[in-house]
Amino acid sequence: MASDLIVDGELMLYGPVGGSWWDDGGFTATEVLQALAEMEGDITVRLNSGGGIAWDGIAIYNALHARTSKVTVVIDGIAASAASVIAMGGDDIVMRTGALMMIHDASTITWGTAEEHEKSAALLGKLDGQLAAVYAARTGLDLSEISGLMDAETWMDGTEAVEKGFATAAGAEKAAKASAFDYRLYAHAPKPLVASARKLKAPRPVGEWGVPLNAAMARRKTPAQPAAISEPPMPNETQTGTAPAAPANDNAPAKTERERISAILDHAEAAGREDLAKHLAFKTDMSAEAATAMLAKAPKAAPAADGLGALRESAPKVVIGGDAKGETKSEDGKPRSLDSAVDRFNAAFKRR
């Protein structure tokens, strides 16, 4: 709830931007805007986040930047990725001793044709330009220099952030422990953060899918293989007077895996997201609950053209018995058969 973000009169933004994929942690733009509506006068925002969804970060930045009263952002532990954009909304940006800030290029997931991947690339280019403009307005650095820092995935402590203009002060108060996050998602994350992610057993990202501005996804693992069925001992191998032992139920793991796969593929959230559902079911070991939660957040594929509509558009008219006006004929002047119409129907779908 939005009111939960206000603690002792301060706005506490801890955890993933846009909320967590796995639990109720983090915060959304809606929750932050609702909390801001309850706060009057000068405010202090305490930020400790490893990143999250870019659009939520931009919305929160704009809300802070638009306030007429003074906004002080204190980075308690870390402000990485989308969280660094939020920090730019403060009039004063204070980094506690040991706190870190990180800026980088945006990332996303795309599934589909080359054209769809090109659209995603174009969108990411625009998003990176918007983020660079926010950083440039705060720091006074040239856009080209900002873009270089983003391309390199730049990590800054308090002193470096102040020198570059990303913060106004480096506070003497010791930083809080960095917010829980899978920092293995970042190419140049400090080793202590990567080690903390391993200790927390944070889920690893799925390589082919990438991450929506580094929101944690599923741990990659080879799909489970059905266990071999153990054969019962033959009668002559058993002790005299002892009945042969019943075979062990080694199929239980395989049954559980089949049930998990079915729960993902047959869930209502898989509709319109069939390719992602198959990927989660067969190429990860995500639980059905986690997979369906991810499916619910993923965009649906554009609906395919109606099959009968495609047939009506591409197939000739079929005449049953006798002549008919408007009958469609092939190049040799003979009426096209029903088989020909079906062939054209199948060809139309192969092109999609």
Side-chain angles (χ1 to χ4, degrees):
M1 295 178 62
S3 58
D4 294 338
L5 298 179
I6 304 174
V7 180
D8 295 332
E10 297 179 330
L11 186 62
M12 306 293 289
L13 303 184
Y14 274 49
V17 180
S20 172
W21 288 73
W22 311 107
D23 52 39
D24 295 330
F27 52 91
T28 67
T30 300
E31 292 169 342
V32 173
L33 266 62
Q34 290 173 345
L36 288 172
E38 300 176 16
M39 306 177 74
E40 297 180 355
D42 298 345
I43 65 170
T44 296
V45 180
R46 292 196 170 273
L47 184 58
N48 190 6
S49 171
I53 305 301
W55 311 117
D56 282 64
I58 292 172
I60 296 169
Y61 158 79
N62 284 323
L64 296 176
H65 188 66
R67 286 185 73 91
T68 55
S69 57
K70 183 177 180 179
V71 176
T72 299
V73 175
V74 179
I75 300 174
D76 284 341
I78 188 169
S81 189
S84 68
V85 180
I86 295 174
M88 300 299 104
D91 298 298
D92 290 337
I93 305 171
V94 181
M95 294 187 64
R96 292 169 61 175
T97 301
L100 292 173
M101 181 183 292
M102 186 274 281
I103 65 172
H104 69 156
D105 291 331
S107 60
T108 189
I109 58 173
T110 305
W111 181 265
T113 64
E115 182 180 359
E116 289 165 336
H117 286 287
E118 289 169 358
K119 289 179 180 178
S120 289
L123 177 62
L124 287 176
K126 291 181 180 179
L127 178 56
D128 286 338
Q130 292 174 334
L131 299 178
V134 170
Y135 296 133
R138 175 78 237 186
T139 64
L141 298 176
D142 292 335
L143 282 173
S144 58
E145 184 173 356
I146 292 292
S147 295
L149 293 173
M150 293 171 64
D151 291 343
E153 188 188 292
T154 301
W155 292 79
M156 297 169 279
D157 59 21
T159 300
E160 293 167 329
V162 171
E163 288 176 353
K164 290 181 171 64
F166 288 91
T168 58
E173 189 178 2
K174 186 178 179 181
K177 184 178 180 180
S179 177
F181 193 82
D182 191 355
Y183 295 99
R184 294 171 294 181
L185 297 171
Y186 300 135
H188 305 297
K191 291 182 179 179
L193 292 179
V194 175
S196 70
R198 291 198 182 99
K199 190 175 296 184
L200 290 168
K201 296 183 179 179
R204 296 189 70 88
V206 179
E208 300 98 311
W209 287 85
V211 288
L213 231 154
N214 303 303
M217 291 180 69
R219 175 167 51 90
R220 181 70 183 268
K221 184 179 179 181
T222 303
Q225 299 296 322
I229 301 175
S230 60
E231 297 181 0
M234 298 301 291
N236 61 357
E237 295 177 351
T238 61
Q239 297 179 355
T240 305
T242 303
N249 185 17
D250 289 339
N251 274 331
K255 180 181 178 182
T256 301
E257 177 66 5
R258 288 195 299 271
E259 290 174 348
R260 183 191 70 85
I261 292 172
S262 296
I264 296 173
L265 298 180
D266 297 338
H267 197 277
E269 295 295 350
R273 308 177 181 95
E274 287 82 0
D275 291 323
L276 177 55
K278 291 176 182 177
H279 180 87
L280 298 176
F282 296 111
K283 293 191 177 182
T284 78
D285 66 343
M286 290 181 69
S287 67
E289 292 77 10
T292 54
M294 183 179 295
L295 287 169
K297 288 178 177 284
K300 288 189 176 183
D306 173 54
L308 292 178
L311 178 59
R312 285 192 292 268
E313 290 291 324
S314 61
K317 296 178 182 178
V318 179
V319 179
I320 306 299
D323 295 331
K325 294 182 179 179
E327 175 181 341
T328 303
K329 297 183 178 181
S330 59
E331 294 179 357
D332 59 4
K334 297 179 180 179
R336 288 173 173 168
S337 66
L338 179 59
D339 289 341
S340 174
V342 172
D343 290 341
R344 289 168 59 81
F345 170 78
N346 292 331
F349 269 84
K350 288 182 179 179
R351 291 195 295 269
R352 296 181 183 273

